[in-house]
């Protein structure tokens, strides 16, 4: 079964997610911003979701993790929880 290692930042608004994405593009550390801004419990670990398998995450996040290019910051991705920025390190 497929698996991937990813991290994300979850925030309440699309504008906040877009601002954080720009800050990451400008060189700020993803994990530091996740600890400071993410509303997900994974934020305490720098946004680290660990190893995930298809179907473990909500569909929109799953689509990014298993279909989008690796190592890029994707998003904002809207779900019922808010807006996500997602980065995938590897997938098998």
């Amino acid at each position: 079964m497929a698996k991937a290692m990813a991290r994300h930042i979850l925030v309440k608004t699309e504008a906040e997610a877009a601002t954080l994405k720009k800050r990451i593009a400008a060189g700020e550390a993803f994990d530091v911003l996740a600890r400071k801004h993410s509303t997900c419990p994974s934020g305490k670990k720098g946004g680290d979701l660990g190893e995930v398998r298809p179907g473990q995450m909500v569909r929109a996040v799953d689509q990014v993790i298993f279909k989008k290019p690796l190592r890029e910051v994707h998003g904002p991705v809207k779900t019922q929880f808010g807006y996500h920025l997602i980065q995938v390190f590897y997938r098998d």
Side-chain angles (χ1 to χ4, degrees), residues 8-13 16 20 33-44 47 81-84:
H8 81 140
I9 298 172
L10 174 63
V11 293
K12 294 212 178 300
T13 68
E16 188 178 2
L20 290 173
L33 291 174
R35 282 187 193 93
K36 199 179 277 187
H37 299 280
S38 185
T39 60
C40 180
S42 69
K44 292 185 180 100
F81 303 107
Y83 293 86
H84 306 256

Side-chain angles (χ1 to χ4, degrees), residues 20-89:
L20 290 173
K21 187 172 184 177
K22 284 180 190 159
R23 290 174 64 179
I24 292 164
E28 289 191 58
F30 190 105
D31 60 329
V32 171
L33 291 174
R35 282 187 193 93
K36 199 179 277 187
H37 299 280
S38 185
T39 60
C40 180
S42 69
K44 292 185 180 100
K45 299 182 289 184
D48 186 2
L49 295 170
E51 215 168 67
V52 296
R53 297 188 182 278
Q56 278 188 287
M57 309 301 289
V58 294
R59 183 168 167 73
V61 173
D62 224 35
Q63 294 289 316
V64 172
I65 291 175
F66 291 98
K67 294 197 162 86
K68 298 285 185 176
L70 298 175
R71 303 207 179 273
E72 293 179 19
V73 177
H74 299 285
V77 176
K78 186 180 190 315
T79 69
Q80 68 264 41
F81 303 107
Y83 293 86
H84 306 256
L85 295 178
I86 305 162
Q87 187 176 41
V88 183
F89 290 103

